[in-house]
Amino acid sequence: MPKVVESVFQPASALDYLPRPELERLQLHRLRAVVKRAWDQVPLFRSRMEGRGLVPEDIRSLGDVSALAFTVKADLRDTYPFGLFASPMQDIVRLHASSGTTGKPIVVAYTRADLEVWSSVMVRSFAACGLHHGDIVQNAYGYGLFTGGLGAHYGAESLGATVIPISGGNTDRQIMVMSDFKVTAVCCTPSYFLHLVDRASELGVDLRKLPVRAGVFGAEPWTEAMRRHIEEAAGIKAFDIYGLSEIIGPGVAIECERQDGLHIFEDHFYPEIVDPETGQNLPEGEEGELVLTTLSKQAMPLIRYRTRDITALVPGACACGRTLRRMRRIGRRSDDMLIVRGVNVFPSQIETVLLEFEGTLPHYQIILTREHGLDQMEIQVEVTAHMFSDTVGALESLQDKLAEAMERVLQIRVQIVLVEPRTLQRSEGKARRVVDRRLS
Ligand SMILES: [Zn+2]
């Protein structure tokens, strides 16, 4: 029996249904205020506006936002730790920081009002996934400086759900809690949930028989094929949530029950799509880089922040009735593109191919090396236990078919290495898909 996701109206969600003219008036009012705040409080924003001969009063319409300069991740690093704050420290009640892969992290700040906004967009996110008062939410996002844990935590509490702050890791305990506490919804990265599904099956626990009916998954790109795989294996509805620490954390956009694009909470975040090369605005429906302006952030407003996430705005209204515009799910980031022998390769393409094959698991790692000046790409792929116990011939045939399918999709020759189940390292957060040894 498929589990039903009920739709219960949440009062906080009323803003999801504002008539467009009313929403746009609110956006413009907030845009003008946030630009003024940035001008008054943040030297970097002021000098960039002055450099373009602009003053805050020049922002008269929403379209005028495109006259402003972009903000990029390097700006956050260059002003480390507090250089972009627009509130005095005594008004800042929380700091978070991103896990930088190299050097210093980036730091983000919240006033009390910012935290209230954050909780409210998370309440609206959970409500859009059909969650409500009475749900039992297992929050397996990492708690700490990462925004995922506390963002989901306070949102679910504000919704009136029961929150289990289990954080990431200790997979066997996660499965025990999911079963014993009669959990109805799980929050984590999609790759970690996939790991939970595999481990549950090893332990003989059938997730489809548990009360869990929804997953709110984010913090890394994932594919439609991965969604189908998760939904079937766990008997849940899997929703894609989008956010980034620089803007607020999780809760920038969420799928509704239609699962046809993510509604952006436009009353707080103003979206644009630009050509990643030229920075020019692209028309609705065209794919490009998502740029966001925070409309209500006090402690750290960001103007035209380049997210590096590639998406498109979906034309037309959603059948759910929300008036908030939608964006396509993020399949890739402009900075996770690999260039192998001059060809652009995205990890999401590999994931999609793997999910089409029986006998493989969507656990994979890409190893890039360089031999005699030529890039070599190896994809290590885990096979199912059943497949691994099969004959050598069957494994070889699978390997050949995979190599052929990859070559067709990626347009380059790759080496496939099939490995035993559970060989590749599991991540409790974002999966590490690529090991690039070409530079070392
Ligand atoms: Zn919708």
Side-chain angles (χ1 to χ4, degrees), residues 163-320:
V163 183
I164 306 168
I166 192 164
S167 196
N170 202 336
T171 306
D172 288 6
R173 190 179 57 172
Q174 299 268 3
I175 292 159
M176 179 190 75
V177 163
M178 204 186 299
S179 167
D180 293 353
F181 295 9
K182 304 197 166 20
V183 164
T184 58
V186 177
C187 303
C188 59
T189 58
S191 57
Y192 187 62
F193 192 77
L194 193 63
H195 176 51
L196 281 174
V197 168
D198 292 348
R199 182 65 188 147
S201 118
E202 278 175 13
L203 295 172
V205 176
D206 186 353
L207 296 184
R208 289 170 297 191
K209 295 197 174 129
L210 299 184
V212 61
R213 66 171 204 278
V216 184
F217 303 132
E220 64 186 10
W222 51 309
T223 57
E224 199 55 43
M226 173 85 108
R227 187 219 300 276
R228 284 196 300 274
H229 177 84
I230 286 176
E231 289 193 332
E232 277 166 29
I236 63 169
K237 214 162 164 175
F239 296 93
D240 190 12
I241 187 166
Y242 174 76
L244 61 169
S245 301
E246 298 93 309
I247 296 300
I248 202 158
V252 172
I254 185 78
E255 284 182 330
C256 64
E257 72 270 15
R258 301 280 164 168
Q259 295 178 315
D260 184 20
L262 290 83
H263 289 283
I264 302 166
F265 294 111
E266 288 179 277
D267 47 328
H268 295 294
F269 316 108
Y270 184 79
E272 297 169 83
I273 301 291
V274 304
D275 181 320
E277 303 295 325
T278 66
Q280 291 299 310
N281 281 82
L282 294 175
E284 196 173 68
E286 264 184 51
E287 192 179 79
E289 180 179 342
L290 177 67
V291 170
L292 291 167
T293 297
T294 63
L295 294 177
S296 53
K297 262 291 209 59
Q298 293 181 339
M300 208 176 109
L302 285 185
I303 310 285
R304 303 195 83 205
Y305 185 67
R306 303 275 304 246
T307 65
R308 300 286 163 198
D309 291 318
I310 303 296
T311 183
L313 292 177
V314 181
C318 183
C320 76

Side-chain angles (χ1 to χ4, degrees), residues 394-430:
L395 280 172
E396 276 172 1
S397 142
L398 176 65
Q399 189 165 312
D400 292 346
K401 283 188 199 136
L402 267 176
E404 208 172 279
M406 290 291 176
E407 190 173 344
R408 199 171 55 240
V409 171
L410 306 177
Q411 304 291 320
I412 48 166
R413 191 146 188 81
V414 300
Q415 198 191 348
I416 303 286
V417 175
L418 299 178
V419 298
E420 282 183 62
R422 310 186 57 75
T423 312
L424 300 174
Q425 204 190 342
R426 296 295 191 268
S427 160
E428 289 166 11
K430 304 179 192 207

